[in-house]
Every structure is written in structure tokens, then in C-alpha cells.
Amino acid sequence: MDLDALTKRSAFHAKPDGLILQYGTAGFRTKAEHLDHVMFRMGLLAVLRSKQTKSTIGVMVTASHNPEEDNGVKLVDPLGEMLAPSWEEHATCLANAEDQNLQSVLMDISEKVAVNLHQDAFVVIGRDTRPSSEKLSQSVIDGVTVLGGQVHDYGLLTTPQLHYMVYCRNTSGQYGEATTEGYYEKLSKAFVELTGQAFCSGDDHRKLKVDCANGIGALKLGEMKPYFSQGLSVQLFNDGSGGKLNYFCGADFVKTHQKPPQGIEMKSNERCCSFDGDADRIVYYYQDVDGHFHLLDGDKIATLISSFLKELVLEIGESLNIGVVQTAYANGSSTRYLEEVVKVPVYCTKTGVKHLHHKAQEFDIGVYFEANGHGTVLFSKAAETKIKQLAKELEDKKSKAAKMLENVIDLFNQATGDAISDMLVIEAVLALKGLTIQQWDALYTDLPNRQLKVKVADRQVISTTDAERQVVKPPGLQEAINDLVKKYKLSRAFVRPSGTEDIVRVYAEADSQESADSLAYEVSLAVFQLAGGVGERPQSGF
Ligand code: 16G
Ligand code: MG
């Protein structure tokens, strides 16, 4: 390690005085103008991680669904997974080190994790379409190269595409070819093969309108379209040519406001979906003939996909266990439907993909989705081998189902939730089962719910347990929530400190929208009073 070079280079990426940032649920995230030094340092850290794991590491520059002025960075581990939790601490230490201590903090980390500094390092980089992303990714490259690491800069990519590249590179191409064409070909081939079995009544079934949040999804889905045009015709909206990123559009906007994005022409009963700014989330929706908006979120997606997988598993007659993983935000009706109708075990973890992903790895087939539309399906190696073997056998019902499962394995981005790959799976399932979006929506009815935010002086005064469903601190808050919940029918409420914003989130559901709104409001007040609320008191009425 050339420490002189490091000192010289880091002077170009000075840390602003007094700025403290935390590697949160999905990496660092804040206003773009505060991130240059963090990018440089994450380049350094990626080199250490690469040396330690003797693998290619990914660095993604994006702030996902957050406003265009924000940016962020996260590291991708060798199998396309989120950075290991113990390294999140190293990331935070390194990002917050004062300039004059940078060297020693870096050496400290190398010692702690026992990095062989002579090992080669390889880092791949991707970025979203934010105006600040190009320059920030240059700072990452600067960090990698100053420590002698090799870089491949993919330029513009969706977050899941970068995860895919990392996974491909660390499995010597077995998972797929580590190029965008490789990604397009792998997914499209599986999609076209899978839907080839579907009976398609009329062209309408093959049409889908996609709101791309004015983000990277537009570019990449646009490139990919011709690869699967046989099976599906997509029409892109909010493609970045006019509007602003994530502004009144995208999956997060649609989910939180429960209304259609701007910039999309919706006719009644037409199937539409929205990606978020880096294309790792997706939600579906339609407007009925009376003009009512219907949202089909991550829970509805998990339900559709689990039922389909369960049927195929029964068909092949192998004892593969399926588990569904959700978070506390999952609508109570979805959990009930999964357990009672689909008859699959459901588990709840803390918010954040890494927690769901980890739990889903315990099953032969692990389906995980957050209500916000982030999720995928993981197949264990053993399940995959069994399925592939069966698919090779003589043509019969069993091998046909196995062949379909094989396509599903190829279609899902096994590294992480992916809006493009989820979209293709959903479209395939709808086509194969001959379901309209209305029929899918009618599988169960969501309990009315409401999410609110409360500002407090320090959100860390709240700590939770039981996958964030119970508060342990501050004293008295859980008791207050319990008392409020008792006042309403079919009700449930929880609060948790956000991992990405300086606020506390409140969730409530109940038998009517009025009750859900009123419960959410009352719980917000309790948080405000018992957890050090600041600014204006929560208001009722929405
Ligand atoms: C991040 C997470 C997402 C989670 C959200 C919660 C990843 C890749 N993304 O966007 O899964 O739902 O944070 O945000 O893990 P919150 O803590 O502010 O509610
Ligand atoms: Mg995202």
C-alpha cells in the first residue's frame, strides 16, 4: 500500500468538518454535495473487502427512490449480497475519520479483518442517472486505484444489474455472463420459454404500461425490450426525457400515496406498474371503471408468486419446502391469505432487504417481499439441482412443471430484488394462469392502513424487538400503543425508527380507513409525547 499516494489523493476528497454519516439500511445516503469523501473512502474499503474475500466487490452509486438532489453508495458482497454487517461498522468508521486519521483508521481495519495486503483486488462500479452520480463514481474509482485495486466501471446500471454482475464474476460465469447483454439474454430467454406455454387471449394480455420514475430503469428496460418482445409489449412512461427523478412518480410515490404517478395515461382496467429510481422495487396497479385506484404491492406480488410456486412444487411431487418472508409492514390480510389459503409458512423479519434475504436462505424455495415492492425468490442449490435433473427427464407432467421451475430460477435475480426480473415473472404467471389484474387483486382484500412520520429529537431513543413489532424503549410507549389498538377492530400498529431518514415511522391498520387513520394519528401522538417529539404536533385528518 502506497501510503504517501493515499495521503496526496485524499486531499482531493477532503471530509467536510463535523459531518457524521452512518452506513444505514442500504448504505450511505444524503445530499449529493456531502458525499465526495465518502465515495473515495468506499473505494478504499471495497479494495480491502475484495482482498479479504479474494473476490470481486461491487460499488453502486445511487439514492434509489430518494429525491434527485440526494445520492448514496453501497457495497455489494461476492455473491451479490448486501455488505456483511460487521463491515458496515468499518464503513461508518472510515467515512467519519478525520482526514489526518484516514491512514491509521484504514490500517486498523486491515488489521482487524486480517487482510493480506499483497492480494489482488477487483472492484466493479455502477451508477444511476442522477446528475451527481458520474462525478461521485469517479471518486470511488480514485479510491480503488490509489490502493492499487483494478476497476471495471459499468457506467449506468440498475442496482440489481450491478448485483448480477458481481455474482456472475464470482461464479466464473456459471450464473450468467457479466454484461448487460448477458443479463438481457438470460432473463428474456427464460421469460419467452416460460410464457411459450401460455394460452394468450388477445393482444391486451401482452401489454403493460411501466412508469420508470424518470430513472435508470427506463434506459435499461428500453435496451432490453427487443429481447422479450415475443412475449410482452411494454410501454415506457416517465422515461427521464422530461420529468424529474422520483418526482410525483415511481414505486415509492405510488405505494406511499396510494395513487397513480403523474405522467402515465391510464385507461380503466389497464395493467400498469412502477419502478423506483434504481429499479429494485416494483408495484402494480390499475384504475377500475368507477375510477377507483387499486394498488397491488409487494404483498400481493408475494401471494401471486407463492401460489404459483406451490402448485408447481406439488406437480413435481418433491418435498421442497417453501417459506415466505415479510416484514411488519405486510398487510394482515396478505399474511392470513398466505397461511390459510396458500398454506405456506410465513416469517417476519426486520425491515431492510438483507434481513429478509438472510431468512429466505433457510428454505429450499424462499420467497421474500417487502410491502414496498422489494423482493425476489431464492432457490437453494439442492433445490436447483433436483429441479434441473427432473426437467431433463422424459416429457410428462412432472418434467414440464420442473422445466417451468427451471425457467423461474433463471428469471429471478437470485442476488437481490429486481424490478425488471420481478415484472417478467409476474407477467409470466398472469399469462400462464390466464389471470387479469382484477382477478389477481381479488385474491384477498387489503386491510385499510396508514403510514405516518413523526419528528423526534433523537430517533434512537426508540428501540424495538420481535421484528420491530414491539417497542422496548422508551418505557410506557408499547403499553400506550396496546391500549390504542384495543379501541379498533382488526387493528394492529407499530412504530420504528427509520433506517434512512431522521424520523420515526408509524404504521396502523384496521377494519376501515377511518379507523386506520385515526389509530395512526393517536399512535403518532403517543410517540410525540413519549419519545421526545420536536416541531409541530402530529395532526389528525388526511
Ligand atoms: C431501504 C431498504 C428497503 C427498506 C427501506 C426502509 C434495501 C436495499 N433497501 O430502502 O429494503 O424497506 O430502506 O426504509 O435494503 P426506512 O428504514 O426509512 O423505513
Ligand atoms: Mg431502490
Side-chain angles (χ1 to χ4, degrees):
M1 217 187 295
D2 181 349
L3 292 177
D4 275 350
L6 172 62
T7 309
K8 276 191 198 131
R9 259 349 268 174
S10 66
F12 291 94
H13 304 282
K15 174 180 166 306
D17 268 348
L19 182 67
I20 305 281
L21 295 169
Q22 185 97 30
Y23 196 98
T25 325
F28 293 102
R29 210 164 272 184
T30 187
K31 292 274 162 275
E33 70 245 36
H34 296 146
L35 279 168
D36 179 67
H37 69 295
V38 177
M39 296 292 165
F40 175 72
R41 292 165 184 211
M42 287 309 102
L44 305 176
L45 193 73
V47 169
L48 294 192
R49 184 67 175 152
S50 173
K51 286 177 190 278
Q52 190 213 27
T53 57
K54 302 188 175 58
S55 306
T56 297
I57 293 295
V59 180
M60 182 72 198
V61 177
T62 180
S64 182
H65 56 282
N66 295 102
E68 186 166 282
E69 303 72 44
D70 291 4
N71 218 321
V73 57
K74 62 181 168 190
L75 266 60
V76 178
D77 253 359
L79 297 181
E81 293 161 302
M82 301 286 177
L83 183 65
S86 59
W87 276 73
E88 291 183 5
E89 280 169 41
H90 303 319
T92 302
C93 273
L94 196 60
N96 294 323
E98 293 309 325
D99 287 330
Q100 66 275 18
N101 301 335
L102 186 60
Q103 252 189 42
S104 63
V105 171
L106 197 67
M107 294 317 287
D108 255 15
I109 298 172
S110 320
E111 263 168 47
K112 265 192 204 141
V113 300
V115 167
N116 171 5
L117 293 173
H118 301 295
Q119 177 70 37
D120 288 339
F122 199 88
V123 178
V124 292
I125 298 177
R127 64 169 198 269
D128 71 11
T129 54
R130 286 180 161 73
S132 59
S133 291
E134 187 168 359
K135 188 157 178 288
L136 290 174
S137 71
Q138 279 306 321
S139 305
V140 177
I141 294 173
D142 224 9
V144 177
T145 42
V146 80
L147 286 191
Q150 282 194 62
V151 185
H152 180 86
D153 181 11
Y154 278 101
L156 295 165
L157 279 190
T158 70
T159 297
Q161 283 179 327
L162 182 74
H163 285 256
Y164 165 90
M165 301 304 173
V166 173
Y167 196 15
C168 290
R169 282 175 179 267
N170 288 317
T171 48
S172 335
Q174 266 182 34
Y175 183 64
E177 198 197 305
T179 59
T180 44
E181 292 74 27
Y183 171 95
Y184 299 145
E185 272 164 18
K186 178 176 173 173
L187 267 62
S188 304
K189 180 170 169 284
F191 174 74
V192 170
E193 267 183 43
L194 188 58
T195 46
Q197 330 245 0
F199 167 78
C200 268
S201 51
D203 254 8
D204 273 2
H205 273 291
R206 299 180 48 244
K207 276 200 199 131
L208 174 67
K209 291 187 166 173
V210 187
D211 152 32
C212 298
N214 289 315
I216 181 71
L219 218 78
K220 297 297 153 178
L221 189 57
E223 284 172 18
M224 188 176 182
K225 254 166 79 163
Y227 291 78
F228 59 72
S229 57
Q230 253 177 291
L232 176 69
S233 130
V234 290
Q235 198 180 349
L236 310 188
F237 295 86
N238 296 324
D239 64 357
S241 54
K244 206 170 161 185
L245 178 69
N246 297 326
Y247 190 65
F248 286 103
C249 60
D252 194 61
F253 172 84
V254 173
K255 169 72 183 161
T256 41
H257 295 85
Q258 312 206 7
K259 62 179 184 201
Q262 284 182 6
I264 191 166
E265 300 151 26
M266 271 172 83
K267 298 206 193 86
S268 61
N269 290 337
E270 264 180 351
R271 204 162 68 249
C272 304
C273 67
S274 286
F275 291 4
D276 74 337
D278 62 340
D280 61 3
R281 292 190 196 176
I282 184 169
V283 295
Y284 270 70
Y285 46 92
Y286 70 98
Q287 202 133 38
D288 65 23
V289 283
D290 300 323
H292 291 133
F293 177 74
H294 296 253
L295 174 69
L296 291 86
D297 62 3
D299 301 337
K300 278 259 154 84
I301 296 173
T303 313
L304 179 77
I305 290 169
S306 325
S307 319
F308 178 70
L309 292 173
K310 176 102 194 250
E311 280 171 29
L312 289 180
V313 166
L314 284 176
E315 194 82 46
I316 63 170
E318 291 288 332
S319 56
L320 298 174
N321 67 14
I322 304 182
V324 180
V325 188
Q326 302 185 313
T327 70
Y329 288 106
N331 195 277
S333 295
S334 74
T335 313
R336 202 166 311 122
Y337 185 87
L338 284 163
E339 285 176 338
E340 292 171 12
V341 182
V342 188
K343 294 196 168 29
V344 283
V346 182
Y347 301 83
C348 185
T349 68
K350 288 203 270 187
T351 301
V353 169
K354 61 186 172 208
H355 302 294
L356 291 104
H357 192 96
H358 187 70
K359 184 72 192 170
Q361 285 173 324
E362 289 176 17
F363 307 94
D364 291 323
I365 303 178
V367 180
Y368 76 82
F369 270 92
E370 290 191 304
N372 63 26
H374 198 150
T376 189
V377 178
L378 304 178
F379 289 79
S380 71
K381 274 281 156 265
E384 186 176 337
T385 312
K386 216 179 250 180
I387 289 165
K388 292 204 159 144
Q389 214 172 346
L390 279 173
K392 281 200 207 104
E393 286 174 12
L394 281 177
E395 266 307 304
D396 63 3
K397 259 175 93 179
K398 223 172 156 175
S399 70
K400 199 173 152 206
K403 185 88 198 97
M404 285 165 82
L405 274 172
E406 198 180 6
N407 291 145
V408 174
I409 296 176
D410 283 345
L411 248 181
F412 271 118
N413 190 336
Q414 303 266 311
T416 189
D418 181 340
I420 293 180
S421 115
D422 293 343
M423 176 192 84
L424 292 175
V425 174
I426 294 163
E427 290 301 312
V429 175
L430 292 178
L432 284 161
K433 299 191 69 77
L435 285 177
T436 62
I437 189 162
Q438 296 78 10
Q439 288 166 324
W440 169 24
D441 189 32
L443 289 181
Y444 65 84
T445 308
D446 273 322
L447 280 170
N449 57 86
R450 176 65 64 191
Q451 281 195 50
L452 295 175
K453 303 178 184 183
V454 184
K455 274 205 156 62
V456 296
D458 173 14
R459 69 193 200 276
Q460 303 309 340
V461 300
I462 295 192
S463 64
T464 63
T465 182
D466 187 25
E468 302 176 324
R469 290 173 292 190
Q470 297 279 328
V471 171
V472 279
K473 261 187 4 204
L477 181 54
Q478 187 57 48
E479 290 73 13
I481 296 173
N482 293 346
D483 288 342
L484 293 170
V485 166
K486 277 189 208 135
K487 292 168 48 183
Y488 302 90
K489 284 197 203 114
L490 299 178
S491 56
R492 189 168 71 87
F494 68 89
V495 306
R496 54 176 281 278
S498 159
T500 63
E501 282 181 69
D502 195 12
I503 45 139
V504 174
R505 293 198 197 281
V506 172
Y507 176 90
E509 64 184 32
D511 63 335
S512 70
Q513 191 61 54
E514 208 184 358
S515 299
D517 288 352
S518 149
L519 176 58
Y521 162 66
E522 291 185 297
V523 172
S524 302
L525 263 189
V527 170
F528 192 85
Q529 282 157 358
L530 296 168
V534 291
E536 221 181 299
R537 286 166 76 82
Q539 302 290 314
S540 69
F542 307 100

